[in-house]
Amino acid sequence: MITYKHEPFTDFSKEENIHAFEQALKLVEGYLGKDYPLTIDGERITTDEKIVSYNPADKKQVIGRVSKASREHAEQAMQAADEAFKTWRKVKPEVRADILFKAAAIVRRRKHEFSALLVKEAGKPWNEADVDTAEGIDFLEYYGRQMLALKEGRKMESRPGEYNRYDYIPLGVGIVISPWNFAFAIMAGTTVAALVSGNTVLLKPASTTPVIAAKFVEVLEEAGLPKGVLNYVPGNGGEVGDYLVDHPKTRFVSFTGSREIGTRIYERAAKVNEGQIWLKRVIAEMGGKDTIVVDKDADLELAAQSIVKSAFGFSGQKCSACSRAVIVEDVYNDVLNRAIELANELSVGNPAERPDFMGPVIDQASFDKIMSYMKIGEEEGRIVAGGTGDSETGYFVQPTIIADVAPDARIMREEIFGPVVGFTKAKDFTHAIEIANNTDYGLTGAVITNNREHIEQAREDFHVGNLYFNRGCTGAIVGYQPFGGFNMSGTDSKAGGPDYLQLHMQAKTTSEML
């Protein structure tokens, strides 16, 4: 059995850690505005058309200019990955795992630098950026160890005169489409899960955070990954993304992002294109509408703290963020009033200048969407905290609480992906669970209660992939709380869990007569 301890988080109450992080920010500022080429078959390819990455907290500041892949580049990368698969699939699992361990060591040495880049490119506060980088290291370490555990396959029964084996073999060429909200952790985790399983990869990162992905590609090359095994092809989703999803040589697609794009990928991948000899596999994580339920028999201070932290950490831009608080009516006002106090204490600003609790939202489109939900919130409930935003220098939205919302209101049903949480009353605990399940999603949830019967009731009836008791609904740790949800939250995969790598492999039975 493999034991694993996750990467520790940085304590920013210590002066030496603050100083070290400030130095990392200066290092990153020294290379802002650079150009980053495509990487195809180990070659650097520069294109005239660029994806320009901006700092969402200071929208005039250019983080980097990344070459934009065309369909021709995508085809070139596909051919390179298909060719590289012929040899990479035969590389020993131990060797593939060693590359992940080496990459983890490189990132660990440069941890503050990667976190500082997340502050700049994704607008993450220091602590959130630090956790993002730590989670990326965890994925590298955990999946490397999981591959070592799976390399011998599974033990099968054999009869006299017969020897049976059950081995895992890789699938082929995979398309990894990674998100901007965990621009390092999820990008790195989904990429290396595919690689260590013996597949080759075309990586198309989010267009708002392509620089952090370019830096990670360099790390894997330094760690010894052969050319062609990982190809870096940032580009337009409608052009490059669709082309690669549809490609007959694509064996699987690993996607993290919105429900709208995820379902579109799932539908396109289901079609068998000319020359395709397999059914494509799709691994998708598509978001959530996550609820914290507060029982009348609960620690109310813990409840308010959990709601505020889960709703407003990284400006609510997590698929696991608390966007609904369902509170038994006996304690509704107490929890609401305390949450308002806590929300009003939060500071919002440029995270590079000081380690604020909240930084910006990612871009203008996100800002506009969130502000449009404020108007809906005014109609469906009472805005009792926040409700305002300012996009003059960066995309800043104040932490917002909307009280007295009906369980079936839009605020309670639609994913906003911003620092907005709706509060609603429940008659009793059973009613609260019914409201919590009243959504198309099923990703995370939390229950704050001291009632053991209600804990067991929620364990059975609260239909989410990650359920937490007496804590917030964000912050799953690799190897401790495998992450992934039900229904429209995705394909039931559990990242950072014991069966995640198998999604990137297929089982082969061999039977030899002796």
Side-chain angles (χ1 to χ4, degrees):
M1 183 175 178
I2 295 173
T3 57
Y4 175 70
K5 293 183 179 179
H6 76 87
E7 181 70 16
F9 305 142
T10 302
D11 182 358
F12 287 115
S13 67
K14 294 182 177 179
E15 195 64 38
E16 63 266 29
N17 290 336
I18 294 173
H19 177 70
F21 202 85
E22 288 171 341
Q23 292 302 114
L25 282 166
K26 288 179 182 177
L27 174 65
V28 168
E29 284 163 4
Y31 59 71
L32 293 183
K34 278 183 60 178
D35 285 0
Y36 296 87
L38 309 177
T39 302
I40 298 175
D41 201 22
E43 300 297 321
R44 300 290 191 261
I45 299 173
T46 300
T47 62
D48 292 334
E49 198 172 354
K50 308 290 185 188
I51 297 170
V52 183
S53 174
Y54 294 96
N55 181 349
D58 181 5
K59 57 188 185 180
K60 292 180 181 177
Q61 186 177 63
V62 175
I63 304 303
R65 296 176 179 84
V66 177
S67 285
K68 188 175 184 180
S70 64
R71 286 194 176 187
E72 290 72 24
H73 293 120
E75 179 61 31
Q76 188 181 347
M78 176 59 73
Q79 297 302 328
D82 187 49
E83 185 64 27
F85 178 65
K86 295 173 184 176
T87 51
W88 180 244
R89 69 185 181 88
K90 294 188 176 183
V91 171
K92 288 183 178 180
E94 298 93 327
V95 175
R96 301 196 300 254
D98 283 347
I99 292 172
L100 267 61
F101 299 144
K102 177 68 181 293
I106 294 168
V107 176
R108 192 176 284 115
R109 287 193 286 270
R110 298 170 57 189
K111 184 180 179 185
H112 287 335
E113 179 194 346
F114 276 96
S115 298
L117 185 53
L118 286 167
V119 169
K120 288 288 189 178
E121 189 170 37
K124 289 208 163 188
W126 293 18
N127 64 321
E128 296 277 353
D130 183 73
V131 168
D132 194 329
T133 307
E135 185 176 16
I137 295 169
D138 284 344
F139 277 131
L140 288 159
E141 293 276 2
Y142 183 79
Y143 290 147
R145 284 165 170 74
Q146 285 297 313
M147 192 64 242
L148 296 179
L150 290 170
K151 68 185 179 69
E152 303 297 339
R154 300 289 187 187
K155 187 178 184 334
M156 288 290 106
E157 296 301 322
S158 293
R159 296 174 295 189
E162 170 191 85
Y163 178 58
N164 299 319
R165 282 177 51 176
Y166 185 91
D167 296 303
Y168 292 110
I169 63 172
L171 294 173
V173 180
I175 313 303
V176 172
I177 303 173
S178 62
W180 53 262
N181 64 333
F182 284 85
F184 185 73
I186 295 179
M187 176 275 302
T190 50
T191 298
V192 301
L195 294 175
V196 80
S197 303
N199 305 287
T200 54
V201 167
L202 277 67
L203 171 60
K204 195 189 91 62
S207 294
T208 43
T209 54
V211 174
I212 194 87
K215 290 287 185 183
F216 183 62
V217 172
E218 292 173 3
V219 167
L220 287 175
E221 288 178 338
E222 183 184 345
L225 193 70
K227 70 176 186 175
V229 174
L230 173 61
N231 301 274
Y232 174 69
V233 285
N236 180 273
E239 184 184 4
V240 171
D242 286 352
Y243 181 77
L244 292 175
V245 169
D246 296 346
H247 203 288
K249 288 188 176 179
T250 294
R251 183 62 180 83
F252 67 95
V253 181
S254 178
F255 168 79
T256 307
S258 71
R259 167 181 174 174
E260 178 187 14
I261 297 174
T263 52
R264 188 165 175 270
I265 287 171
Y266 204 72
E267 182 178 6
R268 294 186 80 103
K271 183 180 178 182
V272 177
N273 292 283
E274 186 177 352
Q276 182 179 326
I277 59 170
W278 45 59
L279 298 176
K280 292 170 184 169
R281 194 173 293 182
V282 176
I283 306 161
E285 200 274 278
M286 304 189 307
K289 190 66 181 173
D290 310 300
T291 307
I292 293 182
V293 170
V294 183
D295 198 4
K296 65 179 180 179
D297 182 15
D299 181 333
L300 303 188
E301 178 64 21
L302 172 65
Q305 294 275 1
S306 299
I307 291 166
V308 168
K309 183 177 180 183
S310 298
F312 304 134
F314 189 39
S315 302
Q317 299 175 116
K318 303 177 185 180
C319 48
S320 60
C322 171
S323 58
R324 310 193 300 170
V326 178
I327 303 166
V328 173
E329 59 187 3
D330 306 56
V331 294
Y332 178 85
N333 289 331
D334 291 337
V335 176
L336 174 62
N337 291 335
R338 180 57 179 145
I340 293 169
E341 290 176 357
L342 292 169
N344 288 334
E345 291 172 4
L346 299 179
S347 57
V348 180
N350 187 335
E353 295 173 1
R354 60 187 193 276
D356 286 277
F357 181 84
M358 274 181 57
V361 297
I362 192 65
D363 59 14
Q364 188 70 56
S366 181
F367 178 87
D368 292 343
K369 176 187 175 185
I370 295 163
M371 295 312 296
S372 73
Y373 273 102
M374 300 296 189
K375 295 177 182 177
I376 296 169
E378 287 175 342
E379 297 169 3
E380 294 186 334
R382 293 185 298 123
I383 295 180
V384 293
T388 61
D390 180 359
S391 62
E392 187 175 348
T393 57
Y395 308 108
F396 298 102
V397 179
Q398 293 296 317
T400 299
I401 295 174
I402 304 172
D404 307 339
V405 184
D408 59 351
R410 287 183 65 189
I411 290 294
M412 297 293 282
R413 301 289 291 275
E414 298 174 11
E415 188 175 35
I416 301 170
F417 224 67
V420 181
V421 58
F423 275 63
T424 194
K425 291 179 185 175
K427 295 191 296 287
D428 53 30
F429 187 76
T430 297
H431 185 220
I433 297 298
E434 290 172 1
I435 296 171
N437 286 331
N438 184 24
T439 169
D440 294 343
Y441 298 98
L443 187 53
T444 76
V447 173
I448 314 298
T449 183
N450 293 319
N451 184 312
R452 174 50 59 180
E453 289 184 6
H454 287 173
I455 287 175
E456 296 310 316
Q457 180 183 346
R459 201 189 303 274
E460 289 189 359
D461 296 342
F462 196 159
H463 193 60
V464 290
N466 284 62
L467 179 59
Y468 305 100
F469 295 106
N470 293 314
R471 54 159 281 187
C473 60
T474 62
I477 294 176
V478 174
Y480 290 67
Q481 295 106 12
F483 185 80
F486 307 142
N487 300 348
M488 280 297 163
S489 288
T491 53
D492 305 312
S493 57
K494 301 295 276 187
D499 52 8
Y500 189 70
L501 289 190
Q502 284 99 307
L503 299 174
H504 306 77
M505 298 185 286
Q506 52 197 350
K508 182 174 184 178
T509 301
T510 57
S511 184
E512 179 180 358
M513 298 308 293
L514 303 175

